[in-house]
Amino acid sequence: MKVLFIGNSHTFVHYVPARTAEFCKSYGQPIEPVMLTHPGMGLDWHLRQSQTYFNLLWGGYDAVILQHNAHPFPGKESLLEAGEQMAAITPEGTKNLSVHDLEREKQPGWASGHERGL
């Protein structure tokens, strides 16, 4: 399974692709992680980058994991809009998942991107 991780320093500093690969491998489901990250940048920035567009369209990924910027967090709508735009670029059958700060879910008015099938 080929998985693309798109994000920022929260993605690479915490070794999210490598940790995910080790976790999946430990359950007998190896993945091939690929990472597109840039410090402090959100998904809206990634949407304007040619390597993001190319990878989404031609990378042959089974899943795409999205990490939006958190400091400052531009809001739920920004996350959902960027996620939907990326999902529209990816070939049919690619799973798109958003990830976010779990502490943020405790704040009033927060809802996960999963509510819209991201």
Side-chain angles (χ1 to χ4, degrees):
M1 180 178 199
K2 192 172 177 185
V3 181
L4 175 63
F5 292 80
I6 299 175
N8 50 49
S9 60
H10 291 277
T11 306
F12 67 80
V13 168
H14 299 291
Y15 308 105
V16 174
R19 293 169 93 185
T20 302
E22 287 300 316
F23 176 81
C24 292
K25 183 179 174 184
S26 74
Y27 282 91
Q29 298 293 321
I31 67 166
E32 177 186 342
V34 176
M35 182 175 70
L36 292 177
T37 59
H38 194 81
M41 296 301 160
L43 298 175
D44 50 342
W45 181 86
H46 283 285
L47 278 165
R48 296 187 303 269
Q49 307 309 307
S50 59
Q51 66 270 24
T52 303
Y53 184 82
F54 182 85
N55 271 274
L56 289 172
L57 194 57
W58 298 104
Y61 298 100
D62 299 295
V64 179
I65 310 296
L66 307 173
Q67 170 68 57
H68 204 20
N69 53 324
H71 304 290
F73 180 66
K76 178 179 80 169
E77 287 305 315
S78 173
L79 168 66
L80 296 175
E81 182 180 324
E84 287 173 351
Q85 289 177 18
M86 286 192 183
I89 297 169
T90 60
E92 194 171 322
T94 305
K95 301 206 181 325
N96 288 277
L97 307 168
S98 65
V99 295
H100 48 273
D101 183 350
L102 297 178
E103 286 297 312
R104 191 167 310 281
E105 287 187 2
K106 297 175 185 174
Q107 297 176 6
W110 174 256
S112 166
H114 300 283
E115 71 187 51
R116 304 257 300 261
L118 300 179

